[in-house]
Amino acid sequence: MKNNFVLVVDVGSSKLRAIYAGRGINNTFNIKGYKEYEYDGFYQGEFIRPEKISPVLQQITSELDVSRAKELDKIYIGVPAEFSSVKCTEVSINFGMRRKVKQSDIDSLFYMASEKAKDSSVEVVSVNPISYTIDDGRVTLEPVGENALSITANLSIVYADKKFIEMFNTMVASLNYSSVEYLSEPLAQSLFIIPKDKREDLALLIDVGDLTASISFVKGNGLYALTSFSRGGGFITNDLSDAFDISINEADKLKRQIVLSLKGKQSDFYELTADVGKVIKIPLNSANEVVGYRIDEIAEVISKCVQLNTKEFLTYLPVYLTGAGISKIKGGRDYLGKCLGRNVSYGLPPLPGKDKPELASILSLTNSALELNE
């Protein structure tokens, strides 16, 4: 009997998160278990202490108690943007005569694109449609059943670094799972978080985590372009620690107090209890400037990516923010929007009670895994 539950691992830049879940009523999730563990993470496309990951994965499977589900023989692992790349390609089929497009034709286009896109240093994780063009020039996302002489598919191919795949294959083999399936984390988020009508033209998904940020350009059901860079909420914590000569723990407490929309007087301070127990006063405007400076820097990279990946300045570009790096700072999203000169919406999982930007990646991966499992 097929198990309707999936085990999914989200590889974050400072946390490994795992979920054991099935599909609930009205497309909600029936979550049997959820765990998260801090680890050394990754920076600039390299794991800091890779040898520490396998013991954490072992701990996850034992603590979630998935061993009781005898028929659970597969594990799904999300591939972060930092270990991914995207390429768009066009493939066509001429039928020789006008006929209805079948699902097998679409499968052939996907296969042709996968073969065309093979590369020894990377693995193809997914092939997704940006659009299909029927011979008369009509563009659609649902070509099956259309009458056509020929069809051209504009497809997005998401790759994962081979080193990432090989490393996790070895770890999963030691856990006695018979198979592992890799999911693109930025693609999963894009399709779960961004409404379909917002993806018809072009939409932007910004995921700012602890040590890394990614920028996904989304069109149709695929990623049009993807960029990642090593910046995130952990850098803001570090900036506060350096600027006010306080510990990382104290800086983290300070960051939670920051309200970027406040413009204080010289006599206004944030007060926090130091590690030794005494109360420290930090000038409000100075602390806000430190945080604002780093968000400015992140916004600058995003703006450059928009310029590089769009032919002209798009006045209407739906922008969504996920991850905890900026979204958990009070006023962080609005400040980022001001820097970009655009409205920024929170990217929220469409699940009651779980609609938080910091849960976007793990819940999006869960949705993708359940769709594949179904």
Side-chain angles (χ1 to χ4, degrees):
M1 191 181 95
K2 188 171 180 181
N3 190 337
N4 294 321
F5 283 79
V6 291
L7 174 61
V8 180
V9 177
D10 178 19
V11 183
S13 61
S14 64
K15 282 181 184 173
L16 282 176
R17 298 189 287 183
I19 195 167
Y20 182 45
R23 189 76 75 184
I25 53 167
N26 297 326
N27 274 334
T28 56
F29 295 163
N30 178 4
I31 297 171
K32 295 271 189 183
Y34 174 84
K35 293 282 173 186
E36 61 178 54
Y37 303 87
E38 290 198 353
Y39 78 122
D40 295 290
F42 54 81
Y43 179 72
Q44 293 185 340
E46 294 286 341
F47 284 99
I48 295 161
R49 295 180 75 183
E51 72 281 359
K52 295 278 187 181
I53 301 170
S54 193
V56 174
L57 278 180
Q58 287 190 334
Q59 200 176 340
I60 283 169
T61 50
S62 63
E63 287 187 18
L64 286 179
D65 204 16
V66 291
S67 56
R68 286 185 305 171
K70 298 273 191 289
E71 60 278 19
L72 185 73
D73 59 356
K74 181 188 275 193
I75 187 167
Y76 292 89
I77 293 176
V79 184
E82 198 127 341
F83 297 93
S84 308
S85 54
V86 167
K87 181 183 177 184
C88 291
T89 188
E90 276 196 358
V91 283
S92 301
I93 296 178
N94 191 307
F95 303 129
M97 56 180 281
R98 186 166 292 280
R99 66 165 173 83
K100 282 194 174 179
V101 178
K102 304 173 193 166
Q103 184 56 48
S104 58
D105 300 322
I106 304 306
D107 295 341
S108 296
L109 288 166
F110 276 40
Y111 177 75
M112 286 159 63
S114 295
E115 287 298 299
K116 187 177 167 184
K118 274 186 176 171
D119 186 313
S120 60
S121 63
V122 288
E123 294 268 358
V124 173
V125 172
S126 73
V127 180
N128 285 73
I130 287 175
S131 64
Y132 298 96
T133 306
I134 307 296
D135 45 25
D136 58 6
R138 233 165 2 101
V139 176
T140 180
L141 251 179
E142 291 167 2
V144 175
E146 294 275 0
N147 276 309
L149 180 65
S150 67
I151 182 169
T152 298
N154 183 6
L155 300 176
S156 161
I157 297 163
V158 181
Y159 298 103
D161 288 358
K162 219 159 202 164
K163 284 193 296 182
F164 180 95
I165 301 286
E166 286 167 357
M167 186 176 103
F168 278 93
N169 278 351
T170 305
M171 289 182 209
V172 171
S174 70
L175 296 174
N176 298 321
Y177 285 92
S178 61
S179 65
V180 55
E181 187 148 353
Y182 294 94
L183 305 170
S184 164
E185 186 247 299
L187 176 66
Q189 281 200 63
S190 300
L191 299 183
F192 192 50
I193 299 300
I194 304 175
K196 196 173 181 181
D197 62 313
K198 303 291 184 190
R199 293 187 260 118
E200 281 175 9
D201 291 322
L202 194 66
L204 192 62
L205 180 78
I206 302 160
D207 181 356
V208 183
D210 191 42
L211 299 177
T212 190
S214 67
I215 304 157
S216 306
F217 292 86
V218 192
K219 191 170 169 56
N221 289 333
L223 295 182
Y224 174 75
L226 177 68
T227 302
S228 66
F229 57 103
S230 293
R231 288 291 182 275
F235 286 77
I236 294 170
T237 310
N238 207 52
D239 292 343
L240 290 168
S241 171
D242 288 348
F244 303 109
D245 197 20
I246 54 179
S247 71
I248 290 292
N249 184 48
E250 289 161 349
D252 194 51
K253 283 185 201 169
L254 173 60
K255 187 170 76 171
R256 279 182 245 150
Q257 285 192 48
I258 298 283
V259 182
L260 284 176
S261 56
L262 290 179
K263 188 74 181 160
K265 305 189 198 88
Q266 272 196 316
S267 56
D268 287 334
F269 295 89
Y270 291 113
E271 289 189 355
L272 67 136
T273 307
D275 296 339
V276 292
K278 65 174 185 177
V279 173
I280 309 174
K281 285 187 170 186
I282 307 284
L284 183 145
N285 288 342
S286 301
N288 283 11
E289 275 171 28
V290 169
V291 176
Y293 181 82
R294 185 62 78 176
I295 296 176
D296 272 330
E297 184 197 32
I298 292 168
E300 210 173 298
V301 177
I302 296 165
S303 293
K304 279 181 184 161
C305 284
V306 172
Q307 285 168 16
L308 285 169
N309 290 290
T310 55
K311 290 184 178 74
E312 69 257 1
F313 182 82
L314 296 171
T315 48
Y316 178 70
L317 179 66
V319 182
Y320 296 85
L321 174 68
T322 64
I326 289 177
S327 67
K328 291 197 93 170
I329 296 167
K330 296 179 197 79
R333 177 198 61 166
D334 293 337
Y335 191 92
L336 178 67
K338 195 172 134 192
C339 295
L340 294 172
R342 298 179 182 277
N343 285 328
V344 176
S345 305
Y346 286 123
L348 305 174
L351 297 166
K354 295 182 176 59
D355 48 350
K356 296 182 175 116
E358 64 269 26
L359 294 176
S361 61
I362 184 72
L363 295 177
S364 298
L365 288 168
T366 304
N367 184 65
S368 290
L370 286 167
E371 282 181 350
L372 286 168
N373 198 47
E374 286 155 7

